[in-house]
Amino acid sequence: MLTHLDAQNRPQMVDVGAKAATRRTARARAEITLPAALAALVVEASGERPEVPTAKGPIFQTAILAGIGGAKRTSDLIPLCHPLPLDDCKVDITVQAARPDGSRLVRIDCRVATEAKTGVEMEALTGAAVAALTVYDMGKAVSHDIVIGPVRLLEKTGGKSDFHARE
């Protein structure tokens, strides 16, 4: 049964009023393939995070800020999502080694936690997706061949059941 539909199949917000607030966590991942032209701009300094410097600013650092902001505003973006106070939100970006064709895979992980009556899966997914879209927006000046996907939930804890995807 879809919880966001009432008995007459009309959209509804799920009533979580009777639920107990518990610790809820979620981790989602967005993957991006940077084409060779953009991947060639990735700077890897010893002991530092990989980054792509641009006139607009550092792409990955900007994407991290955008991802956190996206997670915090999920209920403004996704209909029927409950607004949740986030206790923690971290966005990590890792860049894989260059492939033979010069492209690179970028992984964006968004981890979110709260003490609430409903889960934070949508916040983690939104944070990862918004960070990926920011990489695209800032990198499109170099190439429109940036590919985003998949975006998926990797794990959630709290509530009725836990979930752990195979990575």
Side-chain angles (χ1 to χ4, degrees):
M1 176 179 157
L2 297 174
T3 58
H4 287 88
L5 295 176
D6 68 12
Q8 289 78 39
N9 286 327
R10 295 177 302 203
Q12 69 174 3
M13 181 179 260
V14 176
D15 182 357
V16 297
K19 289 181 163 186
T22 61
R23 182 73 171 168
R24 315 284 184 126
T25 67
R27 180 170 62 103
R29 174 175 290 161
E31 293 185 347
I32 307 167
T33 300
L34 301 182
L38 185 55
L41 300 177
V42 173
V43 175
E44 294 182 278
S46 177
E48 294 182 25
R49 292 179 160 263
E51 185 54 88
V52 180
T54 71
K56 285 182 168 182
I59 289 179
F60 299 147
Q61 295 300 312
T62 305
I64 288 169
L65 292 172
I68 293 168
K72 291 171 66 172
R73 301 206 42 178
T74 297
S75 66
D76 292 335
L77 302 170
I78 309 292
L80 307 178
C81 277
H82 291 83
L84 295 176
L86 302 184
D87 295 334
D88 191 22
C89 181
K90 290 189 175 45
V91 176
D92 294 309
I93 297 178
T94 57
V95 180
Q96 306 301 306
R99 297 172 174 165
D101 67 357
S103 68
R104 286 184 182 235
L105 178 69
V106 175
R107 289 192 174 127
I108 300 174
D109 284 358
C110 182
R111 292 173 178 81
V112 182
T114 191
E115 186 86 17
K117 296 180 177 191
T118 188
V120 288
E121 300 97 291
M122 292 309 301
E123 286 73 12
L125 286 161
T126 301
V130 168
L133 290 167
T134 301
V135 171
Y136 184 95
D137 180 53
M138 294 183 75
K140 71 184 180 200
V142 174
S143 174
H144 284 90
D145 289 326
I146 301 164
V147 176
I148 297 174
V151 178
R152 65 190 185 117
L153 182 68
L154 296 178
E155 64 185 26
K156 78 149 202 99
T157 65
K160 288 182 188 175
S161 62
D162 292 349
F163 169 81
H164 299 279
R166 283 186 265 159
E167 287 189 56

